[in-house]
Amino acid sequence: ESFLRFYVAVLMNYRKYLTFPTAEDPLDCGFKVTQFLASQKTEFQPFLKQLCATQMFDSFITKRLFNPGLDDVTFFDESIDAKFNRYKMRVVKIETPFLQSAK
């Protein structure tokens, strides 16, 4: 659970930097690493730069772009949504049916 909480915290805004494939150009997709790194806290940037260069991260992004309905991707995304839901200033909560079904 500690690793999950850590990755949720450091990658919680990763979805903003995804470029999804389109019907016109299904190969024009990916992750905007430079913009993502620039948006992060300075002290996290060296770690995140190394993380984004790993095969594990590339595999995660590929699954997120082409198979977003996979259980592990849904679990991670809903874990991020649940973290956002815990913010006191958040009035509208994001549904997390996958996490709720696990309870």
Side-chain angles (χ1 to χ4, degrees):
E1 286 183 37
S2 296
F3 283 103
L4 174 63
R5 285 191 306 238
F6 171 76
Y7 281 108
V8 164
V10 298
L11 296 174
M12 63 190 305
N13 293 318
Y14 86 95
R15 291 179 276 194
K16 292 180 185 177
Y17 304 96
L18 292 172
T19 305
F20 289 92
T22 61
E24 297 83 37
D25 195 356
L27 298 178
D28 185 25
C29 59
F31 186 72
K32 300 174 187 171
V33 175
T34 305
Q35 293 91 330
F36 173 72
L37 292 174
S39 73
Q40 302 302 308
K41 292 181 180 180
T42 307
E43 61 267 21
F44 292 159
Q45 289 178 2
F47 170 77
L48 289 172
K49 183 176 182 181
Q50 294 296 316
L51 176 69
C52 290
T54 65
Q55 184 176 0
M56 177 186 75
F57 188 76
D58 183 61
S59 175
F60 168 71
I61 294 298
T62 301
K63 284 182 6 179
R64 179 62 176 87
L65 291 171
F66 295 102
N67 296 307
L70 291 175
D71 288 347
D72 57 341
V73 176
T74 302
F75 178 78
F76 187 70
D77 283 349
E78 287 194 13
S79 295
I80 291 172
D81 294 340
K83 181 173 179 66
F84 281 127
N85 286 343
R86 289 190 295 270
Y87 290 164
K88 293 182 189 278
M89 301 301 280
R90 185 163 200 106
V91 177
V92 178
K93 304 294 183 189
I94 303 167
E95 294 291 323
T96 56
F98 188 85
L99 292 180
Q100 297 303 320
S101 70
K103 289 184 179 180

